[in-house]
Amino acid sequence: MHTLSVRAIPLPHCEDLLSAEISRMGITVTAASPRGVEFSTEHEPLYRLLMENRSASRLIIPVSCFTIRSAEELYEHILQIPWEEHISPDSSFRIDGNVKSSLFRHSGFPVLKIKDAIVDRLRERFGSRPDVDTENPDTILSARIYQEDVEVSIDLGGGSLHRRGYRSRGVPAPLRENLAAAILYRGGWPEIAASGGSFYDPFCGGGTLCIEAALMAGGISPGPLRPVQGGFGWRQHKRDLLEQIQKEYRLHNQAAYEGLRKASLSIHGSDLDTGVIGIAVKSARAAGLEGLVQFRECPVHHAAPEPGTPPGLIATNPPYGERLETNTQAELIYTDLGLTARRSFPGWKISFLSPDKELGLATGIKADKVHKLSNGPIPVQLVHAEIEEYTPSSGTQMFINRLKKNRKALKHYLSNSQVSCYRLYDKDMPEYAFAVDIYEQKWCHLQEYAAPAEIEARAVRRRRREAVEGLIQYLDIGSEGIFLKERRKLGASDRYGKQKPAGDSKDRLVCREGDLRFFVNFSEYLDTGLFLDSRELRLSIRSMAKGKRFLNLFAYTCSATVAAAAGGAISSLSVDASSRYLSWGQDNLRLNRFDTGTHRIHQGDVLEFLRTSAKSRDKFNLAYVDPPTYSNSKDRKRDFDVQRDHKELIDLTFKKLDSGATLIFCTNFSRFEPDAGLYNDYKIEELSSRTVPPDFSRHSRIHRSFRINLKT
């Protein structure tokens, strides 16, 4: 009998799994390394391995290994290989290249040289040549070139073996099917399924883990599911035997599907994204699992097993890396996962992917074992644990109690004032240095004040996890509605600090303030677009605005302009250096059905605008000035410091105002004091005690506000 020397290519860190799969087929493994699992076998066991294997990436037969110093040497070596034993001249072939060599400027060039040498040899032997077919070739070759080392192989399985034929396109960062199988093997799913245990994936995405779990539990072989992708025209294949075995496994799978239906295993997946749930359902149907795997739209903090479901395995791939804008958002998700697992799945086992140790710790679950894996180019850890029943820590319970206390104290104010966006907590307990802002009872803007350098990072992470666990439980808002930022001292005003690269309007949500509506954005900047501490100031402006021409300097997103328009201002001008914020402000005006022709904008430096337009006839009789504490714009000749420059700013502003006009001045600089020289020309009344809302009363100097009029 003719034996073949074969190498099975494993996933990174999974050669032991692949060796075990091959050994279960009765094949003796001769060597195993990250490079491959080596064995010799006859055709029939090899074809059965092709049908049953779940974790291999490829099965190859090495044809030749050699070293080169040039493209010409590569050509000559390939030319000497007896390709007539492998490729028929009237067939087609494809070369899958993996090139990492300084000998070649372009990775495609050595693959082209290999093709030329093969074609030239076969033309010389037969007088004709095979075609190149990249889609459905008869033979697939694998060429690996690393610096000067070359290995050329025959691909026995028709390309990558991860394909099962069911996965639909459109899922961001999909999990490969063979990696899903490796996760399930590592998590002990075959044994759990055999004992009647259940399966759940709370971040199911396109459903790959759930589908692979069902196929594995039912003993459904992946080989017959794979799409035809060529590669079975190799001259040494035994086509009749291969087709006989393929037919046998198709019949086997039919019986396995029936057995799975009778077993009534509970296999469920959920995801927040409606779109990917639709894809998961479609993929399960394509895999022949319609009705056997259940999917539903559900955020992770509401995930739970069906009543009466026996304990089993949670296996999941939470979002991280390129699937999220920030690492802090990933940390929230992992904390949400850990809390849900302990609250809703006690007694289950869990296996989850994490890109690093810190995110694994964020779950609050103590790991029993950790395996290394790679999810595409990203090194990850597969964390395994027994899930214990959740008991809030003393810190979490203390945090929840303070949230309840604060909400009770604000109840009447929020109800009577129609306030739906407010601050619930602001460093009330020094060890939990957070500001918690609630928007519409749907979203939580969580700001963490940077801890002193002497506080250990481990303690910071623990307190952050405890606070997030408390918020999720008290607010019933999961990680999808909590947006975590870090507050730290900046050289310029915090409110203009960017959190991530600019996105677009899809990141914006709508919140209410009384009868007005505003766009907010929780993901792009440290602030959301609406300063909650200025709520009473906006009400004051609204009450003063009827019949007025309103000037808004440092207008940000024009929320004060919207308030003035709602109060009956006949016109307005909003000035800010940022065209992006002004565009946002115009959207706020349109959202409230105010005319952006009547309520105009001007983009530019505020002080420069005041200097150059001082003599214009465009005058105003109500102004709001809310400058940053400090700003250093590249478009300005010098920096701006509110304490140093506010007198000039106010003087210039009054040149744009009528004689009886009112100016409302506000600053977030807590140590601000009006320049003594201002009192010579102006009546100044501090309003701070009236304009700082009750939900900011713990920090009454969150802003300083003043009403300023010219002395008559």
Side-chain angles (χ1 to χ4, degrees):
M1 298 294 287
H2 180 58
T3 60
L4 303 168
S5 296
V6 183
R7 181 188 301 148
I9 308 301
L11 291 162
H13 311 291
C14 291
E15 56 269 21
D16 61 322
L17 289 179
L18 183 51
S19 294
E21 282 195 283
I22 294 169
S23 297
R24 285 196 295 270
M25 300 294 298
I27 300 171
T28 300
V29 172
T30 57
S33 70
R35 187 164 171 261
V37 179
E38 312 275 353
F39 59 94
S40 295
T41 189
E42 298 170 359
H43 282 80
E44 182 176 346
L46 176 63
Y47 292 154
R48 293 189 182 280
L49 179 63
L50 272 174
M51 294 297 103
E52 293 191 29
N53 181 268
R54 299 182 190 276
S55 70
S57 294
R58 291 178 184 266
L59 289 179
I60 63 173
I61 291 182
V63 173
S64 182
C65 298
F66 50 87
T67 59
I68 59 171
R69 291 187 296 257
S70 67
E72 289 70 27
E73 285 192 13
L74 173 63
Y75 176 87
E76 290 300 326
H77 276 289
I78 297 296
L79 192 65
Q80 300 307 312
I81 298 171
W83 292 108
E84 58 273 13
E85 297 177 5
H86 303 288
I87 303 173
S88 173
D90 58 354
S91 67
S92 61
F93 73 103
R94 181 183 83 214
I95 303 170
D96 292 341
N98 182 0
V99 180
K100 295 180 181 178
S101 174
S102 57
L103 294 175
F104 305 102
R105 294 177 61 184
H106 302 290
S107 61
F109 179 70
V111 175
L112 184 63
K113 294 297 287 185
I114 294 171
K115 184 268 294 181
D116 290 344
I118 294 171
V119 167
D120 289 348
R121 180 178 177 102
L122 292 175
R123 185 188 289 116
E124 181 183 336
R125 295 293 190 279
F126 299 106
S128 62
R129 52 154 288 179
D131 295 325
V132 173
D133 185 345
T134 59
E135 297 296 326
N136 191 24
D138 295 306
T139 305
I140 298 175
L141 306 179
S142 173
R144 180 182 180 274
I145 304 176
Y146 183 76
Q147 297 303 344
E148 298 178 349
D149 297 323
V150 180
E151 181 180 79
V152 182
S153 308
I154 302 295
D155 191 313
L156 294 172
S160 178
L161 298 178
H162 77 272
R163 298 183 180 94
R164 309 285 198 257
Y166 61 74
R167 189 170 74 185
S168 302
R169 294 182 178 180
V171 179
L175 197 68
R176 284 198 167 195
E177 295 89 330
N178 59 337
L179 177 57
I183 291 169
L184 294 169
Y185 278 137
R186 293 288 196 213
W189 171 240
E191 296 78 16
I192 293 171
S195 64
S198 305
F199 181 85
Y200 199 103
D201 180 359
F203 297 101
C204 69
T208 305
L209 274 165
C210 293
I211 293 170
E212 289 296 316
L215 297 176
M216 191 177 286
I220 298 164
S221 299
L225 303 176
R226 292 191 185 105
V228 176
Q229 49 191 2
F232 293 107
W234 178 48
R235 297 193 83 170
Q236 296 181 34
H237 265 313
K238 295 185 177 182
R239 295 296 298 270
D240 291 344
L241 177 61
L242 176 59
E243 289 173 4
Q244 175 189 327
I245 289 175
Q246 287 174 328
K247 181 179 179 181
E248 176 189 328
Y249 275 88
R250 282 194 290 269
L251 292 172
H252 161 81
N253 278 358
Q254 290 177 13
Y257 278 117
E258 289 303 317
L260 185 60
R261 286 186 174 86
K262 293 176 182 177
S264 301
L265 280 178
S266 173
I267 300 177
H268 285 76
S270 60
D271 200 285
L272 180 65
D273 188 333
T274 306
V276 299
I277 289 296
I279 293 172
V281 170
K282 182 179 178 182
S283 295
R285 187 183 305 120
L289 297 170
E290 187 172 14
L292 299 175
V293 179
Q294 306 296 326
F295 297 103
R296 67 187 179 106
E297 179 189 351
C298 172
V300 64
H301 76 288
H302 284 160
E306 293 294 316
T309 299
L313 175 69
I314 296 175
T316 193
N317 177 32
Y320 53 83
E322 294 181 357
R323 295 159 73 189
L324 293 176
E325 289 102 356
T326 65
N327 290 332
T328 52
Q329 205 63 27
E331 190 171 334
L332 290 175
I333 289 170
Y334 276 77
T335 299
D336 202 354
L337 169 64
L339 179 63
T340 295
R342 288 174 289 155
R343 293 175 76 191
S344 301
F345 296 85
W348 285 54
K349 294 183 178 181
I350 186 169
S351 297
F352 63 90
L353 289 181
S354 172
D356 52 49
K357 181 179 179 181
E358 282 67 32
L359 283 183
L361 291 171
T363 62
I365 295 174
K366 185 178 179 180
D368 296 328
K369 188 183 293 185
V370 177
H371 285 105
K372 290 183 179 180
L373 287 176
S374 289
N375 187 3
I378 305 174
V380 293
Q381 299 177 341
L382 180 61
V383 181
H384 309 279
E386 300 271 354
I387 302 173
E388 298 178 356
E389 189 167 1
Y390 176 70
T391 302
S393 68
S394 58
T396 296
Q397 193 58 57
M398 186 168 58
F399 192 75
I400 291 173
N401 291 342
R402 182 55 62 101
L403 295 177
K404 290 180 178 178
K405 177 182 177 182
N406 290 356
R407 182 63 175 79
K408 184 177 180 180
L410 291 172
K411 181 178 179 180
H412 294 298
Y413 167 72
L414 299 178
S415 175
N416 295 339
S417 302
Q418 294 183 289
V419 173
S420 57
C421 305
Y422 58 94
R423 178 153 293 184
L424 181 59
Y425 176 96
D426 197 350
K427 295 189 290 186
D428 297 40
M429 299 178 290
E431 62 270 39
Y432 295 92
F434 298 93
V436 177
D437 293 335
I438 307 301
Y439 289 76
E440 302 294 334
Q441 293 301 127
K442 297 178 184 178
W443 309 296
C444 173
H445 189 232
L446 176 63
Q447 300 163 80
E448 181 177 14
Y449 296 91
E454 61 269 18
I455 303 297
E456 290 185 3
R458 181 167 52 180
V460 172
R461 286 195 300 268
R462 175 179 56 79
R463 290 169 182 171
R464 185 186 304 137
R465 176 173 55 80
E466 289 176 335
V468 172
E469 286 181 358
L471 286 168
I472 291 172
Q473 292 176 79
Y474 175 66
L475 300 172
D476 195 27
I477 296 175
S479 53
E480 75 284 354
I482 300 175
F483 301 86
L484 174 62
K485 314 282 179 62
E486 183 186 51
R487 282 282 187 188
R488 62 190 185 280
K489 291 185 178 180
L490 297 173
S493 173
D494 280 1
R495 67 178 56 184
Y496 297 108
K498 187 174 285 190
Q499 180 76 6
K500 71 177 183 70
D504 53 41
S505 59
K506 71 179 176 59
D507 295 316
R508 296 192 312 200
L509 302 164
V510 176
C511 69
R512 296 168 296 126
E513 189 170 276
D515 60 341
L516 301 179
R517 295 186 297 164
F518 297 97
F519 285 112
V520 291
N521 186 318
F522 299 112
S523 58
E524 287 189 45
Y525 291 85
L526 287 172
D527 283 293
T528 66
L530 184 68
F531 297 135
L532 301 186
D533 67 288
S534 300
R535 185 188 312 120
E536 300 297 326
L537 278 165
R538 287 188 287 274
L539 283 173
S540 295
I541 289 168
R542 181 171 182 170
S543 68
M544 300 164 62
K546 188 172 184 179
K548 300 294 178 62
R549 299 180 302 280
F550 180 65
L551 177 63
N552 188 0
L553 301 181
F554 303 97
Y556 191 39
T557 59
C558 304
S559 58
T561 304
V562 172
I570 58 175
S571 65
S572 69
L573 178 64
S574 299
V575 183
D576 198 278
S578 169
S579 59
R580 181 171 176 76
Y581 284 136
L582 288 175
S583 176
W584 188 340
Q586 286 187 306
D587 290 342
N588 278 334
L589 286 161
R590 294 187 191 100
L591 184 64
N592 291 278
R593 299 184 178 181
F594 295 126
D595 180 20
T596 55
T598 301
H599 300 284
R600 299 170 292 134
I601 62 169
H602 175 86
Q603 189 263 319
D605 179 74
V606 169
L607 286 172
E608 188 63 24
F609 162 78
L610 292 173
R611 292 187 188 107
T612 57
S613 66
K615 296 181 180 180
S616 74
R617 295 182 179 180
D618 196 10
K619 298 290 184 179
F620 304 88
N621 43 23
L622 179 62
Y624 179 59
V625 183
D626 186 7
T629 300
Y630 176 85
S631 179
N632 187 15
S633 171
K634 63 182 180 180
D635 300 323
R636 191 183 301 123
K637 293 180 181 178
R638 71 165 189 165
D639 60 356
F640 175 86
D641 181 289
V642 70
Q643 185 61 64
R644 181 191 68 203
D645 299 323
H646 72 275
K647 184 178 186 302
E648 179 189 10
L649 173 62
I650 291 170
D651 287 340
L652 287 171
T653 302
F654 267 98
K655 292 181 179 180
K656 294 290 297 177
L657 304 182
D658 290 335
S659 58
T662 295
L663 185 153
I664 303 296
F665 182 88
C666 182
T667 175
N668 290 94
F669 182 43
S670 60
R671 297 191 302 275
F672 175 82
E673 292 298 335
D675 188 287
L678 287 172
Y679 291 92
N680 296 328
D681 301 315
Y682 305 104
K683 288 176 55 180
I684 302 175
E685 177 189 5
E686 182 160 5
L687 306 175
S688 307
S689 62
R690 285 174 273 167
T691 61
V692 173
D695 46 321
F696 287 85
S697 59
R698 274 187 55 81
H699 299 282
S700 59
R701 295 175 76 86
I702 185 75
H703 69 236
R704 303 282 302 283
S705 62
F706 303 86
R707 176 175 179 145
I708 305 175
N709 298 94
L710 273 172
K711 286 184 176 179
T712 55

